[in-house]
Amino acid sequence: MRRRSSFLIATSVAALAIPLMASPAAAYEAASSCQAQQPGGVVVPDGARAIGSWNWASGNSLTSVHLEAKDLRADGFSAAVRLVTKQRDGGTHYWSWHKNTKGSGTTDAWDTSATDSQGITSTWVQGGLFSGSTLIGLCNGENRTNPD
């Protein structure tokens, strides 16, 4: 009897989990990252890194957007990250830069969401190196297509 009860409980839990995972409201996760470049396009190992992840909520919005700017080198530059989205009409939406000004060996992170009435067909992150307010280096992460 004990084995049968355990089996029934396990089967019931599995049956409930499958609809939850496959529901229309289930989010599709995506991520993008890149290694920031010094002036002249030189990638510096262990320099700065931009990382982003998000969930596709619909054809117009992203939820659980998480951005990180990692500053790993004492070079006097600030690491930065921003979200970039491609719109249905082909336009590109460059969202605000988020700078890590905490110094070498640090990571700064931001959690947000994004909604664009023009639609979001694909998304990626850009990484930047800033000298004060001047952008001096740039990288583009992997472009992820919206499954909606």
Side-chain angles (χ1 to χ4, degrees):
M1 181 69 177
R2 186 174 191 172
R3 277 190 199 176
R4 188 172 181 195
S5 296
S6 297
F7 175 75
L8 289 174
I9 291 170
T11 304
S12 298
V13 169
L16 290 172
I18 290 170
L20 289 175
M21 291 185 299
S23 71
Y28 296 94
E29 293 182 11
S32 179
S33 65
C34 63
Q35 190 75 27
Q37 299 176 2
Q38 296 281 356
V42 178
V43 175
V44 179
D46 301 324
R49 187 153 186 81
I51 300 168
S53 64
W54 58 90
N55 291 329
W56 299 105
S58 71
N60 291 349
S61 64
L62 309 172
T63 59
S64 303
V65 177
H66 180 78
L67 302 172
E68 292 184 9
K70 295 185 175 201
D71 187 344
L72 304 171
R73 181 178 290 264
D75 55 11
F77 302 134
S78 295
V81 62
R82 73 174 168 186
L83 192 70
V84 182
T85 55
K86 187 62 87 173
Q87 299 168 319
R88 274 191 295 274
D89 65 2
T92 304
H93 187 157
Y94 296 95
W95 300 80
S96 298
W97 282 109
H98 298 281
K99 294 182 195 174
N100 175 358
T101 57
K102 296 178 180 177
S104 175
T106 65
T107 299
D108 210 350
W110 300 266
D111 293 308
T112 188
S113 62
T115 300
D116 190 331
S117 63
Q118 299 300 312
I120 299 174
T121 60
S122 65
T123 304
W124 64 96
V125 294
Q126 281 189 330
L129 282 175
F130 281 82
S131 177
S133 61
T134 304
L135 178 66
I136 60 168
L138 185 68
C139 67
N140 287 294
E142 303 85 3
N143 187 334
R144 304 295 183 193
T145 302
N146 190 337
D148 283 340

